[in-house]
Amino acid sequence: MNHSPRTRTVVSCTLLVTALGAGVTACGSDGKSLSAKPYDAADQISFNGPTGAGKRADPDKPLEVTVKGDGRITDVTAQDATGRYVAGELSADGSRWHSISPLAANAHYTVRVSTEDEDGAPGRKVISFDTSKPTVQKRLNITFGPDAGEYGVGQPVTAQLDQDVKGKAQRAIVERALRVDSTPAVQGSWYWVSDKELHYRPKEYWPAHATIQVHSNLDGVKISDRLWGGASKPLKLTTGDKIVALTDAGSHQMKVYKNDEQIKQIPITTGKPGFETRNGVKVVLSKQYFVRMRGTTIGISANSSDSYDLNVYYAARVTWSGEYVHAAPWSVGAQGYENVSHGCTGMSTSNAAWFFDTIHEGDIVKVVNSNGNDMEPFGNGFGDWNVDWNKWRAGSALTNGTPAGPASQDAVRLKPAAL
């Protein structure tokens, strides 16, 4: 029989109107309805899993579904009892479908196969099977961050692993199972900061008032011969207004924007020579009403002329090394004119109180025109936004990072591109 694309002429079609609604029934050139109830394709479909009672499939082996005779497979959906889908590929001629993502161990799967016979009549087959338990007990556990709650639009998502994952193939398995979904949807990608840490961010900042859902599908999935995925707690984040504080160390002014409109300009002072403030995009890590700041904590000798020991108020932290935006009443005379601090951004107490009330964890503080070094991408807070998007995607273990739409390896149901 010829399985090349067939052009069907629609003849004697009937419009069916019922009490529940109206629909159109299409007909084939032979007069047979193409919307007929699917036939049982059990005799046509075979798969490589066990069929006997009590037998379990090996999760290490790919799932394969094939069709016999002159029919062809048109669609396959494989899903476990927790709702996780298995990605797969369908051959161009529709004779074979196989999984391309790992099966989970100790899981129950339902596979729904759609077929079409030589006349175009649809068939259906549902296959259910269980996978065996993992042969080793070492599990990879993942903790997502930050804590659930509302953040600024610059907040990256983090994933901390309790085991090292070094190989690219193993990293790809882990990364593919870590899902980040946002409403509204945005283009984003994971970046491997180290063997035990990943960060996720969009190409641009998160949208204001977005909802971000993070979860792992790794539980029971084999990562390597001695490591399997473990359970993890899902995470829900939301974003507030888009707040960006643009700090110009050259003009000694800070402009604060809310949803891209300037709402305040503040005279400031930043780091003096030898203590220049870092250039680049930083993310607010925390807010503290009171902080005791001592020069010895950043390597300044207690006997040095640069030594200090100050009680500081309205402090928003932007690096782990001790850079803050805070009240600096002792330098009001220099604010707007000169950089005299040890690296922090100082302002009057009244302006600092306003800034403290306006800024939130995850909001953006961007420094320009400083003579200081560039903000580190990782390890000293969240400098993630200073990494070019193409370089960020290169830090993903998946081929070409995560594109604007669903990656091909993440597709749940794949149909042939051409017949």
Side-chain angles (χ1 to χ4, degrees):
M1 294 293 181
N2 182 10
H3 289 98
S4 61
R6 297 181 293 275
T7 302
R8 299 186 178 93
T9 303
V10 178
V11 296
S12 63
C13 295
T14 303
L15 178 66
L16 176 62
V17 181
T18 69
L20 297 177
V24 177
T25 300
C27 303
S29 58
D30 55 2
K32 294 181 180 179
S33 171
L34 299 184
S35 63
K37 182 179 179 180
Y39 64 85
D40 184 357
D43 293 338
Q44 288 183 298
I45 297 299
S46 62
F47 86 114
N48 63 334
T51 56
K55 293 184 178 181
R56 290 176 173 262
D58 184 351
D60 290 349
K61 295 181 179 180
L63 176 64
E64 182 177 88
V65 179
T66 57
V67 65
K68 306 172 186 176
D70 294 326
R72 65 186 181 92
I73 299 170
T74 58
D75 195 33
V76 177
T77 301
Q79 185 180 25
D80 73 4
T82 67
R84 296 179 295 187
Y85 288 95
V86 179
E89 289 182 342
L90 182 60
S91 63
D93 64 359
S95 64
R96 175 179 175 269
W97 178 94
H98 69 282
S99 62
I100 58 172
S101 63
L103 299 177
N106 198 31
H108 179 78
Y109 281 93
T110 300
V111 183
R112 292 176 173 84
V113 184
S114 299
T115 64
E116 186 179 79
D117 69 9
E118 60 181 344
D119 295 320
R124 297 287 187 274
K125 170 65 176 175
V126 178
I127 304 166
S128 297
F129 65 93
D130 297 308
T131 54
S132 59
K133 295 181 179 180
T135 56
V136 294
Q137 297 301 316
K138 193 173 184 181
R139 296 296 187 103
L140 176 69
N141 297 306
I142 298 174
T143 303
F144 293 118
D147 293 337
E150 182 176 295
Y151 293 85
V153 298
Q155 179 65 51
V157 174
T158 63
Q160 297 287 341
L161 318 182
D162 69 349
Q163 309 281 339
D164 286 341
V165 177
K166 297 179 180 291
K168 185 173 182 179
Q170 288 72 42
R171 285 186 171 190
I173 292 171
V174 172
E175 185 178 333
R176 192 173 291 122
L178 305 183
R179 311 298 301 182
V180 181
D181 301 302
S182 68
T183 305
V186 292
Q187 179 183 2
S189 177
W190 288 102
Y191 185 104
W192 285 82
V193 177
S194 69
D195 294 337
K196 298 178 72 172
E197 182 179 4
L198 297 87
H199 288 190
Y200 186 98
R201 50 155 275 211
K203 182 178 180 180
E204 308 293 343
Y205 301 138
W206 295 105
H209 308 292
T211 299
I212 304 157
Q213 303 275 2
V214 187
H215 69 278
S216 170
N217 289 332
L218 200 60
D219 190 18
V221 173
K222 182 179 180 181
I223 301 167
S224 66
D225 289 339
R226 286 177 282 184
L227 185 63
W228 291 73
S232 65
K233 183 179 178 180
L235 173 67
K236 179 181 178 181
L237 307 175
T238 58
T239 60
D241 291 317
K242 179 182 179 182
I243 303 294
V244 177
L246 180 60
T247 306
D248 190 330
S251 67
H252 318 293
Q253 298 289 326
M254 173 190 283
K255 295 180 180 179
V256 182
Y257 296 85
K258 179 178 180 179
N259 298 325
D260 299 320
E261 293 186 4
Q262 184 177 326
I263 57 174
K264 195 172 183 67
Q265 181 166 325
I266 302 172
I268 57 166
T269 184
T270 61
K272 63 184 178 179
F275 298 92
E276 291 90 346
T277 305
R278 295 169 181 82
N279 281 297
V281 178
K282 303 156 193 176
V283 175
V284 175
L285 303 173
S286 64
K287 298 197 305 179
Q288 296 165 265
Y289 171 70
F290 168 79
V291 180
R292 182 182 177 187
M293 294 187 180
R294 289 170 288 183
T296 53
T297 63
I298 60 171
I300 298 175
S301 171
N303 299 320
S304 168
S305 60
D306 282 313
S307 179
Y308 59 88
D309 188 343
L310 297 169
N311 293 331
V312 175
Y313 294 89
Y314 301 115
R317 189 168 199 160
V318 293
T319 73
W320 297 126
S321 61
E323 186 179 323
Y324 290 80
V325 179
H326 63 75
W330 53 85
S331 66
V332 168
Q335 292 164 18
Y337 302 99
E338 186 181 3
N339 293 325
V340 298
S341 83
H342 291 88
C344 290
T345 298
M347 58 186 66
S348 70
T349 299
S350 60
N351 282 330
W354 177 90
F355 185 80
F356 191 86
D357 290 340
T358 302
I359 206 81
H360 305 87
E361 189 173 337
D363 284 336
I364 297 296
V365 175
K366 183 177 181 179
V367 178
V368 298
N369 298 324
S370 171
N371 293 322
N373 295 326
D374 292 333
M375 174 64 180
E376 304 92 329
F378 310 107
N380 193 19
F382 293 119
D384 304 48
W385 301 102
N386 299 295
V387 180
D388 174 80
W389 179 243
N390 289 331
K391 291 181 180 179
W392 184 272
R393 289 182 63 195
S396 165
L398 303 178
T399 304
N400 296 324
T402 305
S408 60
Q409 63 265 34
D410 294 327
V412 172
R413 304 190 304 176
L414 299 180
K415 297 184 180 181
L419 293 174

